[in-house]
Amino acid sequence: MRATTDGREPQLFIIDPSAGLRPAKDSRVALMQAAQRAGQQVWVCTPADLSAVGVTAWARVQPVTLAPMVSSPDGWVVPEPWFELGEPQRLPLDHFPRVWMRKDPPVDEAYLYATHLLELAERAGVRVLNRPASLRAWNEKLGALRFSHLMAPSLVSSAVEQLAAFAADHGEVVLKPLGGRAGQGVVRSTADAPGLHALLELVTQQQQLPVMVQAFLPGVTAGDKRILMVDGEPLGAVNRRPKAGEFRSNLAVGGLPEATELTAAEQSICREIGADLRQAGLFFVGIDVIDGRLSEINVTSPTGVREVEWLGQQPLADQTMEKLLAV
């Protein structure tokens, strides 16, 4: 076991620049604070800080000390400053027993190259969360198709006529860019909408880029449930209700978080997909369920921890860290 000079085991989080994080909303901050409370020394870097010399992956890293936060009836109270960075160091990634890859999408070239560098660390015995190969293989829209029988009717294609025919079959549909996040670029339309073909040409970049189209689920007005799964088991959930005049329920586009419990159908979904997530090395995952139907499987940087902790008074980040450090 590796330890720092003060005897604490180090844990590295690969994230976006710390100054741009929103600590009252960000699951990464919640997890880093939980690691600190568990006696770990928390370090951070960005994907751009990764490098390799031969078969050894390295990173320019900084230790970070996080101030404690308390909840209030209005949300989390953020102290100022809420973090303090130490001096940067260049260390091999195998200095860290556990490394979190928690960079927000897009999953672009830089992101993909970072996963390849992280595989070098994985071969050296580092536990990378989530597994780099699975971050590449489980696109957050396409990954759910492994369980298409649990989903609303779905089609992935770049062919305008095929997409239009699907819309004609189902009447009202939702179009999703495969690389989108937080509800960005998601469009609701109908088979008889004026300009549907033009819209399909636009979202497919003139039939060069596949998109996902799904039958619209009217039950989304009651909310889109984010279920956080840790090591293949559901640990907490938050319902996200669309704001007035909107069908998207993502918190980033104004969805309203609500306390919730899992239904029997949602528990069944979790049981069915949990073993596959665990086998794929997807330790921390956020699945989205609408009206009892699986919608997405979010593996890169799923959110919702802060809302579960605030609304349900559940120490979800601490529970996640307890599961991680028990292995």
Side-chain angles (χ1 to χ4, degrees), residues 59-80:
R60 180 183 179 276
V61 297
Q62 291 178 273
V64 61
T65 302
L66 300 115
M69 291 167 51
V70 297
S71 64
S72 74
D74 298 320
W76 288 96
V77 178
V78 180
E80 187 59 44

mmCIF file of all heavy atoms in Angstrom, residues 59-80:
data_model
loop_
_atom_site.group_PDB
_atom_site.id
_atom_site.type_symbol
_atom_site.label_atom_id
_atom_site.label_comp_id
_atom_site.label_asym_id
_atom_site.label_seq_id
_atom_site.Cartn_x
_atom_site.Cartn_y
_atom_site.Cartn_z
ATOM 1 N N ALA A 59 1.761 11.692 -14.194
ATOM 2 C CA ALA A 59 0.858 12.831 -14.178
ATOM 3 C C ALA A 59 1.464 13.959 -13.366
ATOM 4 O O ALA A 59 2.196 13.730 -12.399
ATOM 5 C CB ALA A 59 -0.504 12.458 -13.607
ATOM 6 N N ARG A 60 1.157 15.157 -13.784
ATOM 7 C CA ARG A 60 1.473 16.339 -12.987
ATOM 8 C C ARG A 60 0.279 16.543 -12.060
ATOM 9 O O ARG A 60 -0.826 16.858 -12.519
ATOM 10 C CB ARG A 60 1.677 17.556 -13.882
ATOM 11 C CG ARG A 60 2.016 18.851 -13.132
ATOM 12 C CD ARG A 60 2.110 20.004 -14.113
ATOM 13 N NE ARG A 60 2.412 21.267 -13.456
ATOM 14 C CZ ARG A 60 1.507 22.072 -12.891
ATOM 15 N NH1 ARG A 60 0.215 21.719 -12.904
ATOM 16 N NH2 ARG A 60 1.871 23.211 -12.325
ATOM 17 N N VAL A 61 0.464 16.339 -10.778
ATOM 18 C CA VAL A 61 -0.644 16.293 -9.824
ATOM 19 C C VAL A 61 -0.444 17.319 -8.714
ATOM 20 O O VAL A 61 0.670 17.777 -8.463
ATOM 21 C CB VAL A 61 -0.776 14.874 -9.216
ATOM 22 C CG1 VAL A 61 -1.116 13.852 -10.302
ATOM 23 C CG2 VAL A 61 0.512 14.470 -8.496
ATOM 24 N N GLN A 62 -1.545 17.650 -8.053
ATOM 25 C CA GLN A 62 -1.493 18.556 -6.902
ATOM 26 C C GLN A 62 -2.346 17.996 -5.774
ATOM 27 O O GLN A 62 -3.475 17.537 -6.020
ATOM 28 C CB GLN A 62 -2.016 19.942 -7.274
ATOM 29 C CG GLN A 62 -1.126 20.719 -8.219
ATOM 30 C CD GLN A 62 -1.720 22.058 -8.579
ATOM 31 O OE1 GLN A 62 -2.501 22.160 -9.521
ATOM 32 N NE2 GLN A 62 -1.362 23.092 -7.819
ATOM 33 N N PRO A 63 -1.834 18.037 -4.541
ATOM 34 C CA PRO A 63 -2.701 17.676 -3.413
ATOM 35 C C PRO A 63 -3.730 18.774 -3.192
ATOM 36 O O PRO A 63 -3.469 19.959 -3.448
ATOM 37 C CB PRO A 63 -1.730 17.576 -2.242
ATOM 38 C CG PRO A 63 -0.598 18.493 -2.609
ATOM 39 C CD PRO A 63 -0.484 18.441 -4.106
ATOM 40 N N VAL A 64 -4.912 18.386 -2.751
ATOM 41 C CA VAL A 64 -5.963 19.367 -2.508
ATOM 42 C C VAL A 64 -6.573 19.101 -1.136
ATOM 43 O O VAL A 64 -6.777 17.959 -0.741
ATOM 44 C CB VAL A 64 -7.045 19.324 -3.618
ATOM 45 C CG1 VAL A 64 -7.717 17.965 -3.691
ATOM 46 C CG2 VAL A 64 -8.077 20.419 -3.407
ATOM 47 N N THR A 65 -6.813 20.170 -0.418
ATOM 48 C CA THR A 65 -7.516 20.103 0.864
ATOM 49 C C THR A 65 -8.870 20.767 0.681
ATOM 50 O O THR A 65 -8.946 21.911 0.203
ATOM 51 C CB THR A 65 -6.721 20.815 1.968
ATOM 52 O OG1 THR A 65 -5.427 20.210 2.076
ATOM 53 C CG2 THR A 65 -7.435 20.707 3.298
ATOM 54 N N LEU A 66 -9.929 20.050 1.038
ATOM 55 C CA LEU A 66 -11.285 20.535 0.814
ATOM 56 C C LEU A 66 -11.926 20.939 2.129
ATOM 57 O O LEU A 66 -11.843 20.218 3.126
ATOM 58 C CB LEU A 66 -12.125 19.455 0.123
ATOM 59 C CG LEU A 66 -11.560 19.025 -1.238
ATOM 60 C CD1 LEU A 66 -11.128 17.571 -1.190
ATOM 61 C CD2 LEU A 66 -12.552 19.261 -2.337
ATOM 62 N N ALA A 67 -12.555 22.105 2.126
ATOM 63 C CA ALA A 67 -13.253 22.573 3.320
ATOM 64 C C ALA A 67 -14.556 21.801 3.488
ATOM 65 O O ALA A 67 -15.201 21.435 2.502
ATOM 66 C CB ALA A 67 -13.539 24.071 3.203
ATOM 67 N N PRO A 68 -14.976 21.524 4.724
ATOM 68 C CA PRO A 68 -16.255 20.839 4.935
ATOM 69 C C PRO A 68 -17.422 21.738 4.537
ATOM 70 O O PRO A 68 -17.332 22.969 4.571
ATOM 71 C CB PRO A 68 -16.264 20.547 6.433
ATOM 72 C CG PRO A 68 -15.319 21.540 7.028
ATOM 73 C CD PRO A 68 -14.271 21.798 5.987
ATOM 74 N N MET A 69 -18.516 21.094 4.130
ATOM 75 C CA MET A 69 -19.726 21.811 3.747
ATOM 76 C C MET A 69 -20.901 21.274 4.554
ATOM 77 O O MET A 69 -20.916 20.111 4.931
ATOM 78 C CB MET A 69 -19.988 21.648 2.241
ATOM 79 C CG MET A 69 -18.985 22.367 1.366
ATOM 80 S SD MET A 69 -19.065 21.877 -0.392
ATOM 81 C CE MET A 69 -20.807 22.054 -0.726
ATOM 82 N N VAL A 70 -21.872 22.131 4.795
ATOM 83 C CA VAL A 70 -23.081 21.715 5.517
ATOM 84 C C VAL A 70 -24.294 22.022 4.643
ATOM 85 O O VAL A 70 -24.260 22.920 3.798
ATOM 86 C CB VAL A 70 -23.210 22.423 6.882
ATOM 87 C CG1 VAL A 70 -22.057 22.038 7.791
ATOM 88 C CG2 VAL A 70 -23.260 23.945 6.695
ATOM 89 N N SER A 71 -25.361 21.248 4.853
ATOM 90 C CA SER A 71 -26.582 21.488 4.087
ATOM 91 C C SER A 71 -27.504 22.426 4.855
ATOM 92 O O SER A 71 -27.474 22.499 6.084
ATOM 93 C CB SER A 71 -27.292 20.164 3.794
ATOM 94 O OG SER A 71 -27.716 19.548 4.993
ATOM 95 N N SER A 72 -28.317 23.131 4.088
ATOM 96 C CA SER A 72 -29.328 24.028 4.651
ATOM 97 C C SER A 72 -30.641 23.732 3.940
ATOM 98 O O SER A 72 -30.670 22.983 2.966
ATOM 99 C CB SER A 72 -28.919 25.484 4.417
ATOM 100 O OG SER A 72 -29.114 25.832 3.054
ATOM 101 N N PRO A 73 -31.743 24.315 4.375
ATOM 102 C CA PRO A 73 -33.016 24.093 3.663
ATOM 103 C C PRO A 73 -32.956 24.508 2.195
ATOM 104 O O PRO A 73 -33.743 24.010 1.383
ATOM 105 C CB PRO A 73 -34.003 24.963 4.454
ATOM 106 C CG PRO A 73 -33.427 25.026 5.824
ATOM 107 C CD PRO A 73 -31.948 25.065 5.629
ATOM 108 N N ASP A 74 -32.017 25.390 1.849
ATOM 109 C CA ASP A 74 -31.913 25.866 0.471
ATOM 110 C C ASP A 74 -30.851 25.131 -0.336
ATOM 111 O O ASP A 74 -30.649 25.440 -1.515
ATOM 112 C CB ASP A 74 -31.608 27.365 0.458
ATOM 113 C CG ASP A 74 -32.718 28.180 1.104
ATOM 114 O OD1 ASP A 74 -33.894 27.841 0.882
ATOM 115 O OD2 ASP A 74 -32.399 29.125 1.844
ATOM 116 N N GLY A 75 -30.139 24.191 0.266
ATOM 117 C CA GLY A 75 -29.080 23.490 -0.451
ATOM 118 C C GLY A 75 -27.793 23.461 0.364
ATOM 119 O O GLY A 75 -27.810 23.631 1.582
ATOM 120 N N TRP A 76 -26.679 23.265 -0.339
ATOM 121 C CA TRP A 76 -25.387 23.165 0.331
ATOM 122 C C TRP A 76 -24.760 24.547 0.503
ATOM 123 O O TRP A 76 -24.783 25.374 -0.405
ATOM 124 C CB TRP A 76 -24.456 22.275 -0.490
ATOM 125 C CG TRP A 76 -24.854 20.827 -0.409
ATOM 126 C CD1 TRP A 76 -25.627 20.144 -1.291
ATOM 127 C CD2 TRP A 76 -24.524 19.914 0.636
ATOM 128 N NE1 TRP A 76 -25.801 18.850 -0.858
ATOM 129 C CE2 TRP A 76 -25.143 18.680 0.316
ATOM 130 C CE3 TRP A 76 -23.782 20.012 1.812
ATOM 131 C CZ2 TRP A 76 -25.024 17.548 1.122
ATOM 132 C CZ3 TRP A 76 -23.661 18.886 2.619
ATOM 133 C CH2 TRP A 76 -24.274 17.676 2.277
ATOM 134 N N VAL A 77 -24.210 24.774 1.684
ATOM 135 C CA VAL A 77 -23.538 26.043 1.988
ATOM 136 C C VAL A 77 -22.059 25.870 1.667
ATOM 137 O O VAL A 77 -21.380 25.004 2.235
ATOM 138 C CB VAL A 77 -23.726 26.428 3.465
ATOM 139 C CG1 VAL A 77 -22.982 27.726 3.767
ATOM 140 C CG2 VAL A 77 -25.209 26.544 3.790
ATOM 141 N N VAL A 78 -21.553 26.690 0.751
ATOM 142 C CA VAL A 78 -20.180 26.559 0.272
ATOM 143 C C VAL A 78 -19.298 27.585 0.974
ATOM 144 O O VAL A 78 -19.530 28.794 0.844
ATOM 145 C CB VAL A 78 -20.109 26.763 -1.253
ATOM 146 C CG1 VAL A 78 -18.672 26.618 -1.745
ATOM 147 C CG2 VAL A 78 -21.017 25.773 -1.975
ATOM 148 N N PRO A 79 -18.293 27.138 1.718
ATOM 149 C CA PRO A 79 -17.369 28.095 2.342
ATOM 150 C C PRO A 79 -16.462 28.719 1.276
ATOM 151 O O PRO A 79 -16.316 28.196 0.173
ATOM 152 C CB PRO A 79 -16.565 27.230 3.315
ATOM 153 C CG PRO A 79 -16.611 25.869 2.723
ATOM 154 C CD PRO A 79 -17.938 25.745 2.023
ATOM 155 N N GLU A 80 -15.857 29.810 1.625
ATOM 156 C CA GLU A 80 -14.937 30.489 0.690
ATOM 157 C C GLU A 80 -13.615 30.762 1.395
ATOM 158 O O GLU A 80 -13.594 31.474 2.392
ATOM 159 C CB GLU A 80 -15.570 31.801 0.208
ATOM 160 C CG GLU A 80 -14.786 32.500 -0.890
ATOM 161 C CD GLU A 80 -14.629 31.633 -2.129
ATOM 162 O OE1 GLU A 80 -15.611 31.007 -2.551
ATOM 163 O OE2 GLU A 80 -13.488 31.594 -2.665
#
